[in-house]
Amino acid sequence: MDTLQKIPAHVAIIMDGNGRWALERGLPRLSGHKAGTENLREVIEACAEFGIKYLTIYAFSTENWNRPDEEIQGLMRIFRTMLDRELNNLHKNGVQLRHIGQLDGIDKKLQQKVQEAIKLTQGNQTLILNVAFNYGGRDEILQAVKKIVANGENIDDLDDELFSKYLFTAGSPDPDLIIRTSGEFRISNFLIWQGAYAEWYFTPTFWPDFNKEELYQALVAYNERDRRYGKVNQAKGK
Ligand code: IPE
Ligand code: IPE
Ligand code: MG
């Protein structure tokens, strides 16, 4: 893997395709979800190696509550097991765990584990890992508006910067690169405010097969992008 010139500060991933990965193998969907946690360690460690400072992963959306109960309960169980299994390793590697979304409404035991993990890792600085769990971009914006009103903010003070402070992602810069696996080309309610100027990378690979090499390919593609933010690139004259 050659050295890359530009490393995005913040990468966000829509980890999609677990169900189809399982289906292809004649396995139940939950096997796909389980497999989709087993590659996470490699991807997180690769992010740290590449020098990425913030990684946000979409694990469970506000819309995922509409799945069959059995799948939801299975997912909760898998996340809990994963936290138990990975927490020490994450902590050892200097990963700071944060949660984005609403913790209320999820399994009490899982809530408690997430809170303990956040507390344990709060001083770590190598990589900030935002886990989007019970997360929805519209819900996040609505919650922000409610908090802004409740705090009696002066409407004249409201700008992008102040608004961003009310989002679940307060303290993280906007994502530079958003990756979606499994060949779907949609945002599915993910970081709809923060992703305004993100570069997108799509791969047909199902999430359980996504690895360090795939991440590298996404970073190579990112390096070829010309981020103009609505301006004209003077050097290229276009
Ligand atoms: C992503 O995989 C994981 C979650 C949404 C929790 P899917 O479960 O959406 O997999 P597909 O899209 O059905 O293949
Ligand atoms: C988005 O994937 C949510 C997560 C990856 C957690 P979905 O599979 O739920 O999204 P849709 O339904 O295809 O838009
Ligand atoms: Mg999906």
Side-chain angles (χ1 to χ4, degrees):
M1 291 180 192
D2 297 333
T3 323
L4 295 157
Q5 288 226 304
K6 293 184 290 185
I7 294 294
H10 185 174
V11 173
I13 308 180
I14 303 178
M15 309 185 292
D16 198 10
N18 294 349
R20 279 162 287 164
W21 181 93
L23 194 71
E24 255 187 13
R25 287 161 178 77
L27 297 168
R29 290 180 58 84
L30 281 176
S31 302
H33 293 313
K34 200 162 160 286
T37 62
E38 270 147 28
N39 59 330
L40 255 177
R41 182 189 284 202
E42 177 178 337
V43 174
I44 293 168
E45 287 178 359
C47 281
E49 267 178 59
F50 287 128
I52 293 160
K53 282 296 183 196
Y54 296 82
L55 171 66
T56 300
I57 52 175
Y58 204 6
F60 193 89
S61 74
T62 45
E63 288 70 36
N64 288 146
W65 293 110
N66 298 318
R67 294 190 177 196
D69 210 43
E70 194 192 326
E71 180 166 346
I72 296 172
Q73 292 317 317
L75 275 167
M76 297 296 156
R77 214 173 41 242
I78 289 166
F79 294 136
R80 223 166 52 211
T81 313
M82 193 197 63
L83 255 187
D84 284 341
R85 195 186 64 206
E86 295 298 324
L87 185 58
N88 283 341
N89 192 50
L90 290 171
H91 188 40
K92 193 183 84 210
N93 287 330
V95 175
Q96 183 188 135
L97 206 84
R98 293 183 186 170
H99 168 258
I100 63 171
Q102 297 212 50
L103 264 190
D104 305 355
I106 68 167
D107 178 285
K108 286 276 180 292
K109 264 200 208 142
L110 185 55
Q111 266 188 50
Q112 207 185 336
K113 278 195 193 296
V114 172
Q115 268 153 351
E116 283 166 9
I118 291 170
K119 206 159 160 233
L120 176 74
T121 62
Q122 62 187 353
N124 295 343
Q125 290 301 334
T126 306
L127 177 78
I128 310 292
L129 176 63
N130 291 314
V131 181
F133 196 94
N134 193 16
Y135 173 89
R138 286 188 172 179
D139 178 53
E140 179 180 42
I141 289 170
L142 287 173
Q143 297 303 325
V145 171
K146 286 182 188 177
K147 283 181 260 174
I148 286 166
V149 173
N151 278 1
E153 291 280 5
N154 184 343
I155 284 302
D156 295 329
D157 293 338
L158 198 55
D159 56 11
D160 285 11
E161 199 189 332
L162 182 62
F163 192 77
S164 296
K165 288 191 178 134
Y166 279 92
L167 297 172
F168 297 132
T169 50
S172 295
D174 286 343
D176 300 293
L177 173 66
I178 304 180
I179 298 169
R180 183 166 189 152
T181 59
S182 87
E184 303 294 351
F185 302 97
R186 56 178 170 268
I187 197 162
S188 299
N189 208 6
F190 188 48
L191 303 179
I192 52 181
W193 169 278
Q194 302 88 331
Y197 261 106
E199 295 296 327
W200 280 83
Y201 178 82
F202 299 100
T203 169
T205 303
F206 293 141
W207 172 252
D209 291 328
F210 190 90
N211 56 17
K212 183 179 179 181
E213 174 58 32
E214 286 265 350
L215 176 65
Y216 178 74
Q217 290 311 326
L219 295 177
V220 168
Y222 177 79
N223 270 263
E224 286 160 5
R225 306 287 173 87
D226 179 18
R227 303 185 76 186
R228 292 189 287 276
Y229 298 98
K231 299 178 201 160
V232 172
N233 184 330
Q234 300 287 358
K236 293 188 179 169
K238 60 178 183 181

